Amino acid sequence: MKPIYPCIWTNQSAKEAAEFYVSIFPEASIQESNPLVTSWRAGNSKFMLLNGGPEFTPSPTLSFYSEFPEVGSVEKLWEKLVEDGKALMPLGTYPWSEKYGWLQDRYGVSWQLTAHPEAPPYGNYSPAMMFTGRNFGKAEEALNFYTSIVPDSLTKFISRYGEDSPSQTGKINHAQFTLGKQLFVAMDSGLDHGFQFSEGISLVIPCENQDEIDYYWEKLTLKGEEGQCGWLKDQFGVSWQVIPEHLSRLLADNSHSKKGLETLLKMKKIEISMLSQ
């Protein structure tokens, strides 16, 4: 299975945002750019930015937990990312890290920056899900659900709130789990943040064949909601895209590419055979 990667919805600023990110993150580069999407990579992590318009915006419920080996690296990145953005948790020293901060950047994307001595020079980037509001207390249910449907997945560790946080005792304050080759973070928050998961950031599952598409679509929509063009929401409201691994190539290589795109726009679950006609 190819690694799951995030897709960030932008208001026609995909290339601009990608150029900003690759200018500040270590060992980062743009991989692909066209009128619809721009993809960039930092180390082993892929990010896709979509020119979607004003309909959706990213939510802090899905942020990127980003580890770097040196405190100085965290401080420099914080300074650049918080410019024209806002701090959600101030950069400082916390029980779990010598240097940590949570911010929302100028494009609405949320980053949790933390110093970790064992992180590689180019950093580790993990999608981090916050279960709050109507989802409060569901972090463990969600990670158990996700790891049960994605092969080669496991829960690495779970840390829970103690009795010093009475309204949240026993709930998850930080958990790490893998889905295939990608590391994820999950947490509960009983605070009234006023936001939920949205289409502003979705998680892309690149599938090798139709059987994989059918499998993930069935599992994730069982108590969720079907969308268009391979998009869906699961039972927790997290947005996913279940798409062929080489969707762009499928459309580009098709001598009737315009027809293929029109066909795609009419689909909910993607049928590869219909795109190849």
Side-chain angles (χ1 to χ4, degrees):
M1 180 182 178
K2 297 292 183 181
I4 296 169
Y5 60 89
C7 174
I8 302 166
W9 187 289
T10 76
N11 187 8
Q12 306 302 326
S13 59
K15 187 174 182 181
E16 173 192 318
E19 289 175 344
F20 170 67
Y21 294 135
V22 301
S23 74
I24 66 171
F25 285 107
E27 298 187 31
S29 60
I30 291 178
Q31 303 292 298
E32 174 190 8
S33 186
N34 60 53
L36 183 60
V37 300
T38 297
S39 298
W40 65 282
R41 181 175 293 276
N44 295 324
S45 298
K46 176 180 178 179
F47 298 81
M48 182 168 72
L49 295 126
L50 172 69
N51 282 320
E55 289 87 349
F56 305 114
T57 56
S59 163
T61 46
L62 214 165
S63 59
F64 299 111
Y65 191 83
S66 307
E67 300 174 315
F68 302 92
E70 298 177 355
V71 167
S73 299
V74 172
E75 291 173 335
K76 289 178 181 178
L77 283 167
W78 176 274
E79 182 179 350
K80 294 173 180 177
L81 283 167
V82 80
E83 184 178 351
D84 297 324
K86 63 180 179 180
L88 301 178
M89 286 182 66
L91 183 66
T93 299
Y94 293 85
W96 58 88
S97 177
E98 181 181 359
K99 190 66 66 173
Y100 168 89
W102 192 343
L103 62 85
Q104 195 168 35
D105 69 24
R106 66 187 67 178
Y107 300 104
V109 180
S110 297
W111 303 87
Q112 298 186 60
L113 305 180
T114 187
H116 191 291
E118 297 180 5
Y122 50 77
N124 279 328
Y125 305 85
S126 305
M129 303 177 183
M130 176 191 284
F131 293 82
T132 183
R134 63 176 179 272
N135 275 327
F136 173 59
K138 295 183 180 179
E140 188 163 9
E141 177 187 351
L143 73 85
N144 287 337
F145 172 62
Y146 297 142
T147 55
S148 74
I149 66 174
V150 179
D152 301 319
S153 299
L154 58 88
T155 300
K156 298 190 69 175
F157 74 85
I158 294 177
S159 171
R160 301 181 188 278
Y161 291 101
E163 294 181 359
D164 57 337
S165 183
S167 64
Q168 302 181 112
T169 301
K171 307 302 182 185
I172 290 178
N173 63 20
H174 188 93
Q176 293 188 3
F177 61 101
T178 61
L179 298 181
K181 300 177 181 179
Q182 177 61 53
L183 181 67
F184 286 79
V185 170
M187 65 196 77
D188 286 307
S189 177
L191 300 177
D192 184 13
H193 294 286
F195 46 68
Q196 287 293 329
F197 295 114
S198 78
E199 292 89 340
I201 297 181
S202 56
L203 299 169
V204 181
I205 303 179
C207 298
E208 293 186 3
N209 51 50
Q210 189 65 47
D211 287 343
E212 280 196 359
I213 290 175
D214 294 345
Y215 170 80
Y216 287 112
W217 189 266
E218 178 183 354
K219 295 292 185 181
L220 290 167
T221 60
L222 184 60
K223 297 180 181 179
E225 177 184 337
E226 294 185 345
Q228 298 297 122
C229 306
W231 290 62
L232 62 87
K233 285 185 179 181
D234 67 23
Q235 64 203 63
F236 308 102
V238 179
S239 290
W240 301 79
Q241 295 184 56
V242 182
I243 64 173
E245 178 185 348
H246 301 298
L247 178 60
S248 296
R249 188 185 306 171
L250 266 175
L251 295 175
D253 291 349
N254 186 354
S255 59
H256 304 290
S257 57
K258 183 177 180 181
K259 180 181 177 183
L261 180 59
E262 291 173 350
T263 301
L264 175 66
L265 294 174
K266 296 176 183 177
M267 292 182 182
K268 289 188 175 181
K269 182 182 75 175
I270 291 179
E271 300 288 345
I272 296 175
S273 61
M274 295 180 65
L275 295 177
S276 304
Q277 295 177 357

